[in-house]
Amino acid sequence: MGSLTDPVDQIFTEGINEVIVSTCDNAAPMGIIKKNDHLSMIVFRSSHTARNIIRDGWVVAHISHDPVLFVKTAFEDPDGDSFIKERIGDVTIHRLRGVQNWIVFAASVEHSTAEKIFVHLEPIHAHIVPALPVPVHRGLNNIIEATVHATRFVLTTDPELAALIRHHGDLVMRCGGEPEKRAIRLLYSYVNTCVPGTFSEKIRQEIAS
């Protein structure tokens, strides 16, 4: 695999890279930002992820193309059996079971506001398996966009966000495979639980299709 910096530099590209980040007994979709050859994250202070980073100083970034996993980790905490605990250097990390590609980072808070922490990431261990190249998948990409909008919608109930979720959901049904379609139905269900009635008609339509 070569030096640690080489695979990490090749994996993350300039801009925001969507991964699933785990901390102690917690996992959630997060964007890792690459800018000027530095890696960082912006995390809401109210989240479990932020509290764990401040306390423990590490995160694990999972490279996954599983649409259902993105939706589930956005809306619920995985149970204990979902994690593998492993000693890496001086820390015991919690990584997600079943995800083959993962990178452990030392995570330090560079600065913070009342709402967010700005976290610097330094890679300390990478587990990357050889694999065939994965083309851009419009179904998966639209699942990620819908999930981002949904996490904000349940906090704000902004109707513009609901419209964006519907837009991306329609594209998932047009461009996605069965895993992506299962994921968008699950997302509609999570949102309806948080904001009852929002997507009741969409669920009926997607189940019938």
Side-chain angles (χ1 to χ4, degrees):
M1 188 169 65
S3 69
L4 179 62
T5 336
D6 290 341
V8 174
D9 282 346
Q10 293 172 37
I11 289 166
F12 295 101
T13 55
E14 195 81 6
I16 298 176
N17 301 262
E18 200 70 18
V19 298
I20 299 174
V21 165
S22 67
T23 55
C24 182
D25 292 324
N26 181 63
M30 291 270 168
I32 290 183
I33 304 162
K34 184 176 182 181
K35 185 176 182 180
N36 300 327
D37 292 326
H38 294 284
L39 298 175
S40 63
M41 295 192 311
I42 301 172
V43 187
F44 284 103
R45 292 184 68 96
S46 59
S47 67
H48 294 154
T49 302
R51 291 194 291 271
N52 290 345
I53 287 172
I54 292 168
R55 184 189 65 202
D56 300 329
W58 60 265
V59 301
V60 183
H62 300 78
I63 315 298
S64 174
H65 293 86
D66 181 345
V68 174
L69 186 62
F70 271 99
V71 172
K72 280 189 171 182
T73 53
F75 284 93
E76 63 179 67
D77 292 329
D79 61 31
D81 290 339
S82 300
F83 295 98
I84 295 173
K85 297 179 182 179
E86 185 167 338
R87 190 77 178 174
I88 303 292
D90 296 331
V91 298
T92 300
I93 58 99
H94 296 199
R95 61 181 176 87
L96 287 170
R97 192 181 302 277
V99 181
Q100 292 184 309
N101 296 297
W102 46 276
I103 302 163
V104 183
F105 292 94
S108 56
V109 179
E110 292 187 313
H111 62 280
S112 61
T113 67
E115 293 185 348
K116 300 173 183 176
I117 61 171
F118 296 78
V119 180
H120 173 71
L121 300 175
E122 192 70 34
I124 58 176
H125 180 84
H127 184 274
I128 308 297
V129 300
L132 294 172
V134 178
V136 173
H137 193 289
R138 289 188 66 196
L140 176 60
N141 285 1
N142 279 282
I143 283 291
I144 292 171
E145 294 302 317
T147 302
V148 171
H149 294 316
T151 57
R152 295 170 181 168
F153 173 74
V154 298
L155 297 176
T156 65
T157 65
D158 182 342
E160 291 187 8
L161 291 174
L164 287 170
I165 296 167
R166 291 187 187 93
H167 168 72
H168 288 292
D170 289 344
L171 288 173
V172 168
M173 296 305 292
R174 189 184 313 158
C175 304
E178 191 50 44
E180 290 76 29
K181 293 175 183 178
R182 186 165 64 251
I184 198 65
R185 293 180 186 120
L186 182 62
L187 185 144
Y188 288 147
S189 177
Y190 279 128
V191 172
N192 273 346
T193 299
C194 297
V195 187
T198 306
F199 292 121
S200 298
E201 183 58 34
K202 290 297 292 182
I203 290 177
R204 285 193 289 271
Q205 292 172 359
E206 308 307 5
I207 290 175
S209 64

